[in-house]
Amino acid sequence: MPDAGPEPRRARRRRPARGGYAPTVAGGLERVCRPALTLPVRPRRAATFTGRRRPEGAILRVCGRGSAGRGSPCRGQRACCVALARGARVTGAGREEIGRNVDLGKSRIVLIGAGSIIFGPSTVRDILLSRALHGSEIVLVDVDGPGLEKVLAYARSLNEMAGAGCRFSATTDRRQALPGADFVIVSVAVDRERLWKLDWEIPLRHGIKHVLGENGGPGGLSHALRSIPLVLSIARDVEELAPQAWLLNFTNPMSRVCLALARHTRVKAVGLCHQIGYGYRLASGVLGLPKEQLAIRAAGLNHFTWILALTHRETGEDLYPEFRRRIAQMPDVEPLSQELDRVFGLFPATGDGHAGEYVGFAWKYMDLTGYDFAGYQERLERVHREVERIGAGDETLGREALSKDSGERAVAVMEALSDNLSRHEDALNLVNRGAIYNLPATALVEVPAHVANGQISGEAVGALPAGIAALCRREYEIQELAVEAAVRGDRQAALQALVLDPVVPDSATARAVLDELLRTHAAYLPQFA
């Protein structure tokens, strides 16, 4: 049969244009959705659409298909529908009225634990110092109503002094605060100082020589059994009421809490800890160089990270050898960390107090005095007075508070996520996924990270030295057992976590201390009832 040739193509049916980018008279680009209403957007901040930064002076077209995309063909994913969600008012089919102050950079930020006189005011101050977050809505949440009112007065007073244009409110009901949240920052604890003292004292009575009792050892387990259910209950509310939000966790024990979030929720979560800052302060003091001139690359587990590289930020010079030479002449400065460096080949970035929580012989290098609760109480009283004075309108003290940030990284991370920036962070707590090659992919690690395109990714740091990896793997297995114990009320998992812990001498001691901790904290541990 002769070849009939290719079948003629059907004429392609042209679909009406639904969107895209088109040039504007200002020489920029506009997002096109039809039908549309065109309006100028203030050029104060650059908004981001589908990964591109809108040039100054560009025109934004706002979709007319429905309020915030509800029931609309684009399902609210277009930048224009995000604009509707953040300021548009629908008055009829395909017709919107948009206020002049529409700004895609506005965020709704919920601070849970804001009544804490340390966490609440410092986070509020950091937000007000960020131009990128000016005009945002901040909801303060805490179960301590009177404490919350003090922080709210402080926030509103400081907001006026800073001219930040943020909107502050407060509630004791987090479910009321969560709908529409972009970011949920969590720093919570159950009667923190009083119960921490018990976590410190009870193991000592059983002959356990631990150095801090917050994140590792029996105290770390007890802390996790209280903290994990509390943070998981918050995360489940976030899943239900603000599934699009990022949860930024400051709650300790960091690794165990974040591991529980990864195992038992679907929230987008990241853990933030300032302890890398101690590594910078230590290196600065030893080398006699400003912190700003140093670059530290560290990795491991939270409060158990190790300095992989220490360089001069401007010249790239390797400063590790000189750091080691100088600190060796300071035998009283971080003696445990110096010994760990001699044995394993890397210097801990966290200081003896935290690294010692995961080392059985730490007590030989440190006094068994524990946390400075008296000093912390003095600090609390001082900050209380400052917060009350600023809340009452003390402008001198307020201006002083606005002269410096806290050093925490929550605002930097929120800026990068909300503005689609690309930003490096020295230390974030994430699921490993190969960042540290010789630790399990499912481990919760602290590594340098990259924030870009609305995502947070751990940077690949290679393999840790074999001995350090072994220490970290043991801690990871203990963390898994602690999470299982906290979530299921599994006494056997809790016992195994203690028997594996390097600061616990034997199984009989583990049983005795576990019994007393569970009995003492029974009111806060219903999962073990």
Side-chain angles (χ1 to χ4, degrees):
M1 177 181 287
D3 187 358
E7 182 178 346
R9 291 184 179 179
R10 296 181 179 179
R12 180 176 293 177
R13 184 178 179 183
R14 293 180 62 87
R15 299 176 64 184
R18 288 191 176 182
Y21 287 92
T24 70
V25 292
L29 296 175
E30 65 180 2
R31 183 65 160 131
V32 179
C33 281
R34 294 184 174 86
L37 171 71
T38 303
L39 73 158
V41 176
R42 293 184 301 165
R44 181 172 64 85
R45 297 185 64 238
T48 302
F49 308 138
T50 62
R52 297 187 184 181
R53 184 175 291 281
R54 176 176 54 80
E56 295 292 337
I59 302 298
L60 170 68
R61 284 186 177 273
V62 180
C63 174
R65 288 180 175 150
S67 173
R70 286 189 289 273
S72 68
C74 68
R75 300 181 185 276
Q77 299 304 308
R78 300 182 190 274
C80 53
C81 287
V82 175
L84 286 173
R86 296 184 176 180
R89 180 164 60 88
V90 177
T91 58
R95 300 181 63 183
E96 294 76 35
E97 290 182 5
I98 314 287
R100 289 185 178 181
N101 293 327
V102 171
D103 185 340
L104 295 184
K106 300 290 193 298
S107 296
R108 180 177 171 89
I109 303 167
V110 177
L111 308 186
I112 298 182
S116 162
I117 209 64
I118 300 296
F119 164 72
S122 64
T123 307
V124 164
R125 186 172 71 250
D126 287 350
I127 290 171
L128 295 177
L129 288 171
S130 167
R131 288 189 176 275
L133 296 177
H134 280 191
S136 294
E137 181 181 5
I138 296 96
V139 186
L140 310 178
V141 180
D142 204 290
V143 295
D144 176 9
L148 193 59
E149 287 301 317
K150 290 180 183 179
V151 177
L152 178 61
Y154 168 93
R156 286 175 170 167
S157 180
L158 216 55
N159 182 43
E160 186 174 344
M161 295 178 198
C166 292
R167 292 165 292 154
F168 283 92
S169 61
T171 178
T172 56
D173 181 0
R174 67 174 182 255
R175 290 182 62 85
Q176 185 182 85
L178 286 172
D182 298 294
F183 301 101
V184 181
I185 307 177
V186 180
S187 180
V188 293
V190 180
D191 202 354
R192 182 175 183 266
E193 285 74 42
R194 185 178 71 84
L195 299 188
W196 185 359
K197 283 183 182 179
L198 293 172
D199 288 343
W200 164 252
E201 293 166 354
I202 290 171
L204 282 178
R205 289 203 295 267
H206 290 270
I208 292 176
K209 297 177 179 179
H210 62 160
V211 297
L212 193 59
E214 183 189 19
N215 302 288
L221 173 66
S222 183
H223 193 187
L225 297 181
R226 298 190 302 272
S227 293
I228 287 172
L230 176 57
V231 176
L232 286 182
S233 69
I234 293 169
R236 288 174 183 131
D237 284 346
V238 173
E239 282 182 321
E240 177 188 349
L241 301 171
Q244 76 287 348
W246 274 94
L247 190 154
L248 280 59
N249 178 61
F250 283 91
T251 303
N252 280 327
M254 177 65 69
S255 292
R256 302 177 188 205
V257 169
C258 288
L259 187 62
L261 288 169
R263 292 287 184 275
H264 296 282
T265 78
R266 297 184 302 277
V267 296
K268 298 182 294 184
V270 61
L272 295 95
C273 178
H274 57 215
Q275 201 60 30
I276 186 68
Y278 179 80
Y280 274 97
R281 292 193 299 275
L282 175 65
S284 173
V286 170
L287 293 168
L289 292 171
K291 292 182 294 182
E292 295 73 22
Q293 293 183 13
L294 303 177
I296 291 177
R297 189 168 176 82
L301 308 181
N302 179 246
H303 294 130
F304 202 40
T305 54
W306 304 76
I307 298 176
L308 306 176
L310 172 58
T311 59
H312 195 287
R313 191 174 294 276
E314 297 172 2
T315 67
E317 178 188 358
D318 182 4
L319 299 175
Y320 221 151
E322 181 64 12
F323 170 80
R324 286 186 167 115
R325 186 187 70 78
R326 292 193 181 197
I327 202 168
Q329 300 170 18
M330 307 173 183
D332 295 331
V333 176
E334 308 298 345
L336 173 64
S337 296
Q338 291 198 50
E339 176 65 3
L340 292 173
D341 184 30
R342 287 189 290 266
V343 172
F344 294 107
L346 291 178
F347 200 96
T350 58
D352 285 0
H354 281 301
E357 292 195 84
Y358 309 104
V359 178
F361 56 85
W363 60 273
K364 293 187 176 182
Y365 293 84
M366 305 172 61
D367 294 330
L368 293 180
T369 54
Y371 187 69
D372 183 8
F373 291 104
Y376 183 74
Q377 188 60 40
E378 291 177 5
R379 181 188 175 201
L380 282 180
E381 292 171 0
R382 174 177 55 79
V383 176
H384 262 292
R385 291 192 295 270
E386 292 175 358
V387 167
E388 288 178 348
R389 287 174 58 187
I390 292 172
D394 188 325
E395 190 159 345
T396 300
L397 202 56
R399 297 293 178 191
E400 183 181 339
L402 289 169
S403 67
K404 59 184 181 301
D405 61 34
S406 70
E408 301 286 1
R409 300 300 298 170
V411 164
V413 170
M414 288 191 294
E415 287 175 348
L417 288 170
S418 61
D419 264 0
N420 204 20
L421 303 176
S422 178
R423 176 167 286 164
H424 168 85
E425 287 292 325
D426 281 334
L428 292 178
N429 288 268
L430 308 157
V431 176
N432 186 21
R433 296 192 177 96
I436 301 176
Y437 295 161
N438 53 347
L439 290 186
T442 53
L444 204 296
V445 297
E446 182 170 300
V447 292
H450 195 62
V451 186
N453 299 319
Q455 300 294 323
I456 302 176
S457 305
E459 296 181 2
V461 298
L464 294 174
I468 292 174
L471 293 175
C472 290
R473 277 195 296 271
R474 178 181 62 190
E475 285 307 316
Y476 161 65
E477 297 298 345
I478 292 171
Q479 290 167 7
E480 287 277 19
L481 289 166
V483 170
E484 184 70 12
V487 173
R488 312 289 183 198
D490 188 332
R491 190 187 188 96
Q492 196 68 14
L495 177 62
Q496 291 173 12
L498 286 181
V499 172
L500 283 173
D501 200 290
V503 307
V504 178
D506 53 62
S507 59
T509 303
R511 282 193 177 89
V513 75
L514 178 62
D515 286 346
E516 186 169 353
L517 286 170
L518 293 181
R519 188 167 58 249
T520 300
H521 298 310
Y524 310 103
L525 302 174
Q527 69 270 42
F528 287 93

